[in-house]
Amino acid sequence: MTGPTPGAFGLAKGGGWPMRIVRLGTFSRFGHACICEAVDAAGRAWIIEPMPTGCRVRLAEPGEFVWSDLQLTENQAQAIVTYARECIGLPYDWRSIAGFVLRFWGAKVRGESDDHADDRLLCSEMVVWAYRRAGIDLAPGKAPGDVSPGDLDEFLDNRRRA
């Protein structure tokens, strides 16, 4: 993984109980994901991230995220960032968090829709939708609401092994 670039996605342990639930329920070291919107002159990343309070923009702390190393074209990066910007202000997808909890207890839960009909987002769901808009499928065959930050990490691991 490399440093932040516009369009790259970042993975973090994340704080708070929702991200702890995601880590536990998905057996992952990561509980949060974001998209890098821009990098300032000091190399700091401005990120877009769905949070329990809604999707927002903020400056990431140095070393807070592990960044994806996918080689994006300028058009792909622009499409990813444009989609992420469209998500700012959308509410959090608490139903998908509930699905992660149910999966932790062994239930088979699938996303209700793959067309983003409810306008609610999880962090990893936003990443999958943004990349699909750019023509990159990070989770083939999976509804975006079923994708966890750990799944994104696994995608990168599998890509490196190939």
Side-chain angles (χ1 to χ4, degrees):
M1 302 215 188
T2 61
T5 58
F9 67 87
L11 298 171
K13 180 179 177 182
W17 65 269
M19 292 164 210
R20 187 171 298 125
I21 289 171
V22 171
R23 286 193 316 270
L24 288 171
T26 61
F27 304 100
S28 173
R29 63 186 173 139
F30 295 115
H32 188 51
C34 71
I35 290 177
C36 177
E37 177 187 33
V39 178
D40 68 15
R44 300 175 304 178
W46 285 93
I47 62 168
I48 300 172
E49 61 180 355
M51 294 293 291
T53 55
C55 190
R56 67 182 184 177
V57 178
R58 73 171 174 90
L59 185 61
E61 295 295 324
E64 180 180 0
F65 289 91
V66 175
W67 295 100
S68 62
D69 57 0
L70 299 173
Q71 299 300 310
L72 303 173
T73 67
E74 189 173 323
N75 287 341
Q76 288 170 325
Q78 183 177 2
I80 291 164
V81 170
T82 297
Y83 177 79
R85 285 180 182 145
E86 291 171 9
C87 297
I88 295 169
L90 289 178
Y92 202 58
D93 190 352
W94 289 104
R95 286 189 312 197
S96 289
I97 290 291
F100 287 135
V101 171
L102 291 171
R103 276 190 218 104
F104 179 72
W105 295 105
K108 299 286 185 192
V109 179
R110 296 199 184 278
E112 292 181 11
S113 172
D114 64 354
D115 66 0
H116 196 40
D118 64 0
D119 285 331
R120 295 177 179 276
L121 286 171
L122 285 176
C123 56
S124 47
E125 180 181 16
M126 179 190 71
V127 170
V128 172
W129 278 116
Y131 272 72
R132 283 185 181 171
R133 181 177 276 187
I136 302 166
D137 196 350
L138 300 174
K142 282 185 116 173
D146 284 348
V147 178
S148 72
D151 293 326
L152 296 174
D153 185 36
E154 187 175 315
F155 169 85
L156 292 174
D157 283 345
N158 289 340
R159 190 177 144 275
R160 278 188 227 104
R161 281 188 225 125

Coordinates of all heavy atoms in Angstrom, one line a residue, residues 10 24 105 113 128 132 152:
G10 N -8.9 4.3 1.6 CA -8.2 4.1 2.8 C -8.9 3.1 3.8 O -10.1 3.1 3.8
L24 N -15.4 -7.0 14.7 CA -15.7 -8.3 15.3 C -16.6 -9.1 14.4 O -16.4 -10.3 14.3 CB -16.5 -8.0 16.7 CG -15.6 -7.5 17.8 CD1 -16.5 -7.1 19.0 CD2 -14.6 -8.6 18.2
W105 N -23.2 -13.8 14.5 CA -23.8 -14.9 15.2 C -24.2 -16.0 14.2 O -24.9 -16.9 14.6 CB -25.1 -14.4 15.9 CG -24.7 -13.4 17.0 CD1 -24.8 -12.1 17.0 CD2 -24.0 -13.7 18.2 NE1 -24.3 -11.5 18.1 CE2 -23.8 -12.5 18.9 CE3 -23.6 -14.9 18.8 CZ2 -23.2 -12.5 20.2 CZ3 -23.0 -14.9 20.1 CH2 -22.8 -13.7 20.7
S113 N -30.7 -4.8 -1.6 CA -30.7 -4.3 -2.9 C -29.3 -3.9 -3.4 O -28.5 -3.5 -2.6 CB -31.6 -3.0 -2.9 OG -31.5 -2.4 -4.2
V128 N -17.2 0.8 -2.6 CA -17.6 -0.1 -3.7 C -18.4 0.6 -4.8 O -18.1 0.4 -6.0 CB -18.3 -1.4 -3.1 CG1 -18.9 -2.2 -4.3 CG2 -17.4 -2.2 -2.2
R132 N -17.2 1.1 -8.6 CA -18.0 0.6 -9.7 C -18.4 1.6 -10.7 O -18.4 1.4 -11.9 CB -19.3 -0.1 -9.1 CG -19.0 -1.5 -8.6 CD -20.3 -2.2 -8.1 NE -19.9 -3.5 -7.5 CZ -20.7 -4.3 -6.9 NH1 -22.0 -4.0 -6.8 NH2 -20.3 -5.4 -6.4
L152 N -12.5 -5.4 1.6 CA -11.7 -4.5 0.7 C -10.2 -4.9 1.0 O -9.4 -4.9 0.0 CB -11.9 -3.0 1.0 CG -13.3 -2.5 0.7 CD1 -13.5 -1.1 1.2 CD2 -13.6 -2.7 -0.8

